[in-house]
Amino acid sequence: LEYHGLVCNLCGVASAKPKNKDDEMQKVLMSHHSFAAPLEYHGLLDDWTVSGASLFERERLLMHPGVAERHGFIWSKAPLLTNDFEVTFSFRVAGEQNPAKLLHDQSFGFYYVMENVSKGFNETAFIKAESWAKGMADHGLTLGGSKAVFDGFGAVLSMADKNGKPRPAVSGFSNDGHTTLSWGTNLPVPEAKQIDFRNTLNAAQMRIRVKPTSVQGWLKLSPSLSWNECFTLDRSKIPVKSGGYVGLTAWSGTSAVGVTADSVSVTQLEVRNFDETSIGEEMKDVSAQIQETYMQMLTDENRHFLDQKSQSDHLARLVDLLSEHLKTAKPADAQLFEKLKGYEQRVDRLNTDCKNIVQGAHLFMGTSSKEHAEAHKNGVQLMKNEIMGMRRILVKDHASHRQKLDEVSKNLGEVRDKAGKDNAPAMLNQIVKQTNNLEKTVKSRGSQMSWMMFCLLTSIVVIGVLMYNRMNYYEKKHFTA
């Protein structure tokens, strides 16, 4: 996107005649000051500082949830290098339907200031504060989540008007960097535009057109509706300067009984450059040489050409610039290509594995519903036969062991009787001792065999249940659908 904007600017510069200042085709998106869903968390944190209750999600930027005394904070890390630009953002403010049950001091706004707010923000000290309100006061963020003293302008959407009545309104205002503004006294402004931007069916949109001598703001409640003019700020005496930072702040209101806070989120933010003599923002993805060449071409006083030769010379410089960029980006492109090849190989292996699994399922369960049912029935019957056969073996062995034990006991009894008659007590005691040992051994072995039979039967039943569940799973997945 960034390099695409560069090319568009340069192609516009090489046109035969100057453009109108508000020509829609002249706008160039500044990607490091913009975002749109789906949002990529890691990439956005390179360009923005997010703190407080704000959070980048996949489909939106959540400024703060519907909880009182929560601070929304997101500021750009890099400045805008132009003072002729346009900001458009889509947002949702959702909450209680009855405005009378809302916290009246909650607000949400866009700011353009000359101070690098993100650099001076101490998040650790803010977290350690005893409350959100105390942390904001210590950092001077008392104006709807933004600093009360700043050099720049702001557009604030409040849930109440100047008199504190529950009527949503839009206020546009400026500050000279020396005046301390306060909520309730300076904001909302008396001429704030009353427009209900809450609980809209689609995301509402705010558009701010910034020129060196003026700032204008419009709002519409749906992309298909028309724009409503909200404010116009005269900056002819204090022109808007380039090099400022953009940010969104919010404050969910001071906690009170019987009233609630809104949930505020932003789904898209676009900042576009209208100044054809400015690069708009730092191009982080290209070399310093390309940036310098680009700036020279933009600021060339003879950038509008009246003959084909001068245009051809200028386009030749553009071709050289693009060739240099392609040469610089070639290693990254090659690395990306290798990664894509690796992904392709992994997908091929996955495809092969899936085919093998499907083929195995077909062999095991059949390819049709009838074949599957027959195969399932035969498999269950075979399993029952195997279980019954193993049970017969174990029962038969157990009976054989019991019979041998009875025979040994009978023989020992006979030997004991005979030894008693022969008056051989020593021999009899030895035989008795051996008999007891043998009896213990035989009983132990019988007990072990019984436990082995029980464990084996249990294992066979568990395996049968698992196989039955697996076959049902394959049937539902491959045949039922």
Side-chain angles (χ1 to χ4, degrees), residues 365 372 468-481:
M365 296 183 295
H372 167 63
Y468 178 76
N469 290 337
R470 178 53 59 180
M471 287 188 289
N472 278 345
Y473 168 78
Y474 282 122
E475 179 182 2
K476 291 179 180 178
K477 181 175 182 182
H478 297 285
F479 305 104
T480 302

PDB file of all heavy atoms in Angstrom, residues 365 372 468-481:
ATOM      1  N   MET A 365     -14.525 -50.015   6.106  1.00  0.00           N
ATOM      2  CA  MET A 365     -15.964 -49.858   6.293  1.00  0.00           C
ATOM      3  C   MET A 365     -16.765 -49.978   5.007  1.00  0.00           C
ATOM      4  O   MET A 365     -17.982 -49.940   5.044  1.00  0.00           O
ATOM      5  CB  MET A 365     -16.262 -48.488   6.935  1.00  0.00           C
ATOM      6  CG  MET A 365     -15.688 -48.341   8.332  1.00  0.00           C
ATOM      7  SD  MET A 365     -16.116 -46.760   9.083  1.00  0.00           S
ATOM      8  CE  MET A 365     -15.266 -45.643   8.008  1.00  0.00           C
ATOM      9  N   HIS A 372     -20.850 -50.626   4.005  1.00  0.00           N
ATOM     10  CA  HIS A 372     -20.422 -50.206   5.338  1.00  0.00           C
ATOM     11  C   HIS A 372     -21.200 -50.953   6.417  1.00  0.00           C
ATOM     12  O   HIS A 372     -20.631 -51.437   7.396  1.00  0.00           O
ATOM     13  CB  HIS A 372     -20.615 -48.707   5.496  1.00  0.00           C
ATOM     14  CG  HIS A 372     -20.498 -48.244   6.911  1.00  0.00           C
ATOM     15  ND1 HIS A 372     -19.344 -48.353   7.640  1.00  0.00           N
ATOM     16  CD2 HIS A 372     -21.422 -47.684   7.730  1.00  0.00           C
ATOM     17  CE1 HIS A 372     -19.549 -47.893   8.857  1.00  0.00           C
ATOM     18  NE2 HIS A 372     -20.799 -47.480   8.935  1.00  0.00           N
ATOM     19  N   TYR A 468     -15.874 -49.305  17.965  1.00  0.00           N
ATOM     20  CA  TYR A 468     -17.246 -48.995  17.564  1.00  0.00           C
ATOM     21  C   TYR A 468     -17.456 -47.486  17.407  1.00  0.00           C
ATOM     22  O   TYR A 468     -18.049 -47.033  16.437  1.00  0.00           O
ATOM     23  CB  TYR A 468     -18.208 -49.560  18.612  1.00  0.00           C
ATOM     24  CG  TYR A 468     -19.656 -49.262  18.320  1.00  0.00           C
ATOM     25  CD1 TYR A 468     -20.342 -49.972  17.337  1.00  0.00           C
ATOM     26  CD2 TYR A 468     -20.322 -48.253  19.024  1.00  0.00           C
ATOM     27  CE1 TYR A 468     -21.660 -49.685  17.062  1.00  0.00           C
ATOM     28  CE2 TYR A 468     -21.642 -47.968  18.739  1.00  0.00           C
ATOM     29  CZ  TYR A 468     -22.313 -48.688  17.752  1.00  0.00           C
ATOM     30  OH  TYR A 468     -23.610 -48.394  17.482  1.00  0.00           O
ATOM     31  N   ASN A 469     -16.936 -46.691  18.359  1.00  0.00           N
ATOM     32  CA  ASN A 469     -17.052 -45.226  18.276  1.00  0.00           C
ATOM     33  C   ASN A 469     -16.319 -44.689  17.063  1.00  0.00           C
ATOM     34  O   ASN A 469     -16.781 -43.750  16.383  1.00  0.00           O
ATOM     35  CB  ASN A 469     -16.500 -44.576  19.549  1.00  0.00           C
ATOM     36  CG  ASN A 469     -17.392 -44.827  20.748  1.00  0.00           C
ATOM     37  OD1 ASN A 469     -18.592 -45.097  20.583  1.00  0.00           O
ATOM     38  ND2 ASN A 469     -16.836 -44.728  21.947  1.00  0.00           N
ATOM     39  N   ARG A 470     -15.150 -45.233  16.769  1.00  0.00           N
ATOM     40  CA  ARG A 470     -14.362 -44.752  15.625  1.00  0.00           C
ATOM     41  C   ARG A 470     -15.084 -45.042  14.300  1.00  0.00           C
ATOM     42  O   ARG A 470     -15.124 -44.223  13.388  1.00  0.00           O
ATOM     43  CB  ARG A 470     -12.980 -45.414  15.659  1.00  0.00           C
ATOM     44  CG  ARG A 470     -12.068 -45.040  14.497  1.00  0.00           C
ATOM     45  CD  ARG A 470     -11.916 -43.572  14.332  1.00  0.00           C
ATOM     46  NE  ARG A 470     -11.380 -42.939  15.518  1.00  0.00           N
ATOM     47  CZ  ARG A 470     -11.153 -41.662  15.644  1.00  0.00           C
ATOM     48  NH1 ARG A 470     -11.451 -40.842  14.641  1.00  0.00           N
ATOM     49  NH2 ARG A 470     -10.644 -41.171  16.741  1.00  0.00           N
ATOM     50  N   MET A 471     -15.683 -46.260  14.237  1.00  0.00           N
ATOM     51  CA  MET A 471     -16.393 -46.587  13.002  1.00  0.00           C
ATOM     52  C   MET A 471     -17.622 -45.692  12.837  1.00  0.00           C
ATOM     53  O   MET A 471     -17.945 -45.263  11.729  1.00  0.00           O
ATOM     54  CB  MET A 471     -16.797 -48.064  13.028  1.00  0.00           C
ATOM     55  CG  MET A 471     -15.594 -49.016  12.811  1.00  0.00           C
ATOM     56  SD  MET A 471     -16.103 -50.722  12.599  1.00  0.00           S
ATOM     57  CE  MET A 471     -16.628 -51.114  14.266  1.00  0.00           C
ATOM     58  N   ASN A 472     -18.302 -45.380  13.922  1.00  0.00           N
ATOM     59  CA  ASN A 472     -19.426 -44.436  13.839  1.00  0.00           C
ATOM     60  C   ASN A 472     -18.956 -43.072  13.370  1.00  0.00           C
ATOM     61  O   ASN A 472     -19.618 -42.372  12.607  1.00  0.00           O
ATOM     62  CB  ASN A 472     -20.109 -44.315  15.208  1.00  0.00           C
ATOM     63  CG  ASN A 472     -21.080 -45.457  15.447  1.00  0.00           C
ATOM     64  OD1 ASN A 472     -21.445 -46.156  14.512  1.00  0.00           O
ATOM     65  ND2 ASN A 472     -21.500 -45.644  16.679  1.00  0.00           N
ATOM     66  N   TYR A 473     -17.786 -42.621  13.885  1.00  0.00           N
ATOM     67  CA  TYR A 473     -17.215 -41.317  13.495  1.00  0.00           C
ATOM     68  C   TYR A 473     -16.944 -41.269  11.995  1.00  0.00           C
ATOM     69  O   TYR A 473     -17.311 -40.334  11.294  1.00  0.00           O
ATOM     70  CB  TYR A 473     -15.939 -41.062  14.290  1.00  0.00           C
ATOM     71  CG  TYR A 473     -15.130 -39.912  13.771  1.00  0.00           C
ATOM     72  CD1 TYR A 473     -15.493 -38.596  14.057  1.00  0.00           C
ATOM     73  CD2 TYR A 473     -13.998 -40.131  12.985  1.00  0.00           C
ATOM     74  CE1 TYR A 473     -14.752 -37.538  13.584  1.00  0.00           C
ATOM     75  CE2 TYR A 473     -13.271 -39.071  12.522  1.00  0.00           C
ATOM     76  CZ  TYR A 473     -13.638 -37.776  12.820  1.00  0.00           C
ATOM     77  OH  TYR A 473     -12.908 -36.736  12.358  1.00  0.00           O
ATOM     78  N   TYR A 474     -16.285 -42.342  11.469  1.00  0.00           N
ATOM     79  CA  TYR A 474     -15.989 -42.349  10.037  1.00  0.00           C
ATOM     80  C   TYR A 474     -17.261 -42.427   9.211  1.00  0.00           C
ATOM     81  O   TYR A 474     -17.358 -41.857   8.114  1.00  0.00           O
ATOM     82  CB  TYR A 474     -15.073 -43.523   9.704  1.00  0.00           C
ATOM     83  CG  TYR A 474     -13.631 -43.274  10.059  1.00  0.00           C
ATOM     84  CD1 TYR A 474     -12.954 -44.132  10.937  1.00  0.00           C
ATOM     85  CD2 TYR A 474     -12.969 -42.175   9.544  1.00  0.00           C
ATOM     86  CE1 TYR A 474     -11.642 -43.879  11.268  1.00  0.00           C
ATOM     87  CE2 TYR A 474     -11.655 -41.940   9.884  1.00  0.00           C
ATOM     88  CZ  TYR A 474     -10.980 -42.801  10.754  1.00  0.00           C
ATOM     89  OH  TYR A 474      -9.680 -42.551  11.081  1.00  0.00           O
ATOM     90  N   GLU A 475     -18.250 -43.156   9.737  1.00  0.00           N
ATOM     91  CA  GLU A 475     -19.511 -43.250   8.998  1.00  0.00           C
ATOM     92  C   GLU A 475     -20.176 -41.881   8.883  1.00  0.00           C
ATOM     93  O   GLU A 475     -20.620 -41.481   7.816  1.00  0.00           O
ATOM     94  CB  GLU A 475     -20.427 -44.226   9.709  1.00  0.00           C
ATOM     95  CG  GLU A 475     -21.795 -44.375   9.006  1.00  0.00           C
ATOM     96  CD  GLU A 475     -22.703 -45.320   9.783  1.00  0.00           C
ATOM     97  OE1 GLU A 475     -22.287 -45.805  10.846  1.00  0.00           O
ATOM     98  OE2 GLU A 475     -23.796 -45.579   9.310  1.00  0.00           O
ATOM     99  N   LYS A 476     -20.221 -41.132   9.976  1.00  0.00           N
ATOM    100  CA  LYS A 476     -20.848 -39.800   9.962  1.00  0.00           C
ATOM    101  C   LYS A 476     -20.052 -38.848   9.082  1.00  0.00           C
ATOM    102  O   LYS A 476     -20.612 -38.015   8.379  1.00  0.00           O
ATOM    103  CB  LYS A 476     -20.926 -39.231  11.384  1.00  0.00           C
ATOM    104  CG  LYS A 476     -21.911 -39.991  12.244  1.00  0.00           C
ATOM    105  CD  LYS A 476     -21.924 -39.391  13.654  1.00  0.00           C
ATOM    106  CE  LYS A 476     -22.908 -40.130  14.565  1.00  0.00           C
ATOM    107  NZ  LYS A 476     -22.906 -39.601  15.931  1.00  0.00           N
ATOM    108  N   LYS A 477     -18.737 -38.941   9.133  1.00  0.00           N
ATOM    109  CA  LYS A 477     -17.901 -37.966   8.422  1.00  0.00           C
ATOM    110  C   LYS A 477     -17.876 -38.193   6.920  1.00  0.00           C
ATOM    111  O   LYS A 477     -17.924 -37.248   6.132  1.00  0.00           O
ATOM    112  CB  LYS A 477     -16.464 -38.027   8.982  1.00  0.00           C
ATOM    113  CG  LYS A 477     -15.521 -37.023   8.327  1.00  0.00           C
ATOM    114  CD  LYS A 477     -14.158 -37.031   8.992  1.00  0.00           C
ATOM    115  CE  LYS A 477     -13.244 -36.016   8.391  1.00  0.00           C
ATOM    116  NZ  LYS A 477     -11.898 -36.031   8.984  1.00  0.00           N
ATOM    117  N   HIS A 478     -17.806 -39.472   6.489  1.00  0.00           N
ATOM    118  CA  HIS A 478     -17.568 -39.742   5.078  1.00  0.00           C
ATOM    119  C   HIS A 478     -18.802 -40.218   4.310  1.00  0.00           C
ATOM    120  O   HIS A 478     -18.815 -40.205   3.090  1.00  0.00           O
ATOM    121  CB  HIS A 478     -16.466 -40.785   4.923  1.00  0.00           C
ATOM    122  CG  HIS A 478     -15.137 -40.323   5.458  1.00  0.00           C
ATOM    123  ND1 HIS A 478     -14.349 -39.403   4.785  1.00  0.00           N
ATOM    124  CD2 HIS A 478     -14.484 -40.622   6.595  1.00  0.00           C
ATOM    125  CE1 HIS A 478     -13.255 -39.180   5.475  1.00  0.00           C
ATOM    126  NE2 HIS A 478     -13.312 -39.906   6.564  1.00  0.00           N
ATOM    127  N   PHE A 479     -19.824 -40.720   5.033  1.00  0.00           N
ATOM    128  CA  PHE A 479     -20.929 -41.320   4.304  1.00  0.00           C
ATOM    129  C   PHE A 479     -22.269 -40.676   4.623  1.00  0.00           C
ATOM    130  O   PHE A 479     -23.124 -40.546   3.764  1.00  0.00           O
ATOM    131  CB  PHE A 479     -20.986 -42.818   4.576  1.00  0.00           C
ATOM    132  CG  PHE A 479     -19.681 -43.495   4.255  1.00  0.00           C
ATOM    133  CD1 PHE A 479     -18.829 -43.888   5.275  1.00  0.00           C
ATOM    134  CD2 PHE A 479     -19.286 -43.698   2.945  1.00  0.00           C
ATOM    135  CE1 PHE A 479     -17.625 -44.484   4.990  1.00  0.00           C
ATOM    136  CE2 PHE A 479     -18.085 -44.300   2.670  1.00  0.00           C
ATOM    137  CZ  PHE A 479     -17.249 -44.693   3.686  1.00  0.00           C
ATOM    138  N   THR A 480     -22.489 -40.329   5.872  1.00  0.00           N
ATOM    139  CA  THR A 480     -23.780 -39.785   6.251  1.00  0.00           C
ATOM    140  C   THR A 480     -24.037 -38.452   5.555  1.00  0.00           C
ATOM    141  O   THR A 480     -25.107 -38.143   5.083  1.00  0.00           O
ATOM    142  CB  THR A 480     -23.851 -39.591   7.771  1.00  0.00           C
ATOM    143  OG1 THR A 480     -23.608 -40.845   8.378  1.00  0.00           O
ATOM    144  CG2 THR A 480     -25.250 -39.086   8.152  1.00  0.00           C
ATOM    145  N   ALA A 481     -22.927 -37.525   5.533  1.00  0.00           N
ATOM    146  CA  ALA A 481     -23.068 -36.244   4.905  1.00  0.00           C
ATOM    147  C   ALA A 481     -23.337 -36.384   3.414  1.00  0.00           C
ATOM    148  O   ALA A 481     -23.987 -35.587   2.800  1.00  0.00           O
ATOM    149  CB  ALA A 481     -21.813 -35.424   5.126  1.00  0.00           C
TER     150      ALA A 481
END
